Amino acid sequence: MNYRAPHIITEGTVQYELGSLKGREIHYDFEKMLVYLEAKGKLLFGKKFKIYHEDRDIIYRLCLYTIRDRKRCEQLGIDTEKGILLSGPVGCGKTSLMKLLKCMVPHQRPYAVIPCRNIVFGFNHLGYKVIHDYGDAQFYCFDDLGVEPDGVHFGQECNVMGEVLLSRYELFMDSKRKTHATTNLNAQELEERYGNRVRSRMRELFNLIAFHKGSRDKRL
């Protein structure tokens, strides 16, 4: 990474200039950001990857959040201190976008994208240590929240991700460590899955950004 020009990202032999540097401030260009996201997406996910025009509004909001444009985020009701809960139908591109967005800001601390089912599998083997581990100071994006099974460790059942979210909430209140997530569920379904207490904490943890319920499945 070029620390003197954090707005320029090199992929192989190609440089992508996402904006211009004026003093110590980066002035990002959304169209240039889209070019980079599509190019990086092809590198990560294959040549068939593309940015769809119908998703531009969602991506614009996510980009503003990612580059920490506080003024425009405030105008759109996005709190840059909170994490992102990106919701939408199966296959609309939620996971791909969350993996891509962090690539635009290599000068910021990255988050790890972790499938929720993997966390539950870890709990089944190791028990409550796993919940404690995900309450640490790292940044995470929990992928496919709400469709993971409940955990079972030595016969004791546990709503693992519900407990993890409560731990992340405590961490957020203490040190503002962000948590992100993707989900196929709506607000009511999340409350049914995790209960009112966790859903209440999620409102404080996350900005909700949602794809239209009729968004196409890009995997087809």
Side-chain angles (χ1 to χ4, degrees), residues 41-73:
K42 291 182 185 301
L43 290 174
L44 290 178
F45 311 120
K47 293 181 179 179
K48 291 185 178 180
F49 179 87
K50 65 176 291 187
I51 298 292
Y52 291 83
H53 186 270
E54 67 229 46
D55 295 336
R56 283 174 63 100
D57 180 63
I58 287 281
I59 296 172
Y60 178 66
R61 291 167 181 266
L62 291 169
C63 283
L64 290 179
Y65 173 86
T66 300
I67 64 176
R68 297 179 180 175
D69 188 328
R70 289 180 173 83
K71 183 177 180 180
R72 278 186 279 185
C73 279

Side-chain angles (χ1 to χ4, degrees), residues 120-216:
V120 174
F121 294 157
F123 173 87
N124 293 345
H125 287 286
L126 301 173
Y128 286 89
K129 178 183 181 299
V130 170
I131 294 172
H132 174 77
D133 289 346
Y134 281 101
D136 65 10
Q138 300 300 313
F139 288 21
Y140 296 107
C141 175
F142 299 128
D143 192 34
D144 273 344
L145 181 68
V147 296
E148 76 285 349
D150 280 343
V152 181
H153 183 66
F154 285 106
Q156 186 172 3
E157 294 186 2
C158 177
N159 188 327
V160 176
M161 288 310 303
E163 294 298 324
V164 168
L165 289 171
L166 290 174
S167 295
R168 297 300 299 181
Y169 171 78
E170 296 298 331
L171 184 68
F172 175 70
M173 296 305 291
D174 289 341
S175 60
K176 296 302 180 184
R177 297 293 182 183
K178 292 180 181 177
T179 304
H180 308 296
T182 71
T183 185
N184 303 331
L185 305 186
N186 60 35
Q188 183 177 345
E189 291 169 328
L190 286 168
E191 185 166 333
E192 291 172 358
R193 180 71 179 85
Y194 298 114
N196 180 262
R197 180 175 176 231
V198 173
R199 176 62 185 139
S200 175
R201 302 297 189 272
M202 290 176 70
R203 292 188 185 98
E204 297 184 59
L205 270 176
F206 298 120
N207 296 284
L208 175 61
I209 296 182
F211 280 87
H212 188 274
K213 63 181 180 180
S215 295
R216 76 173 81 182

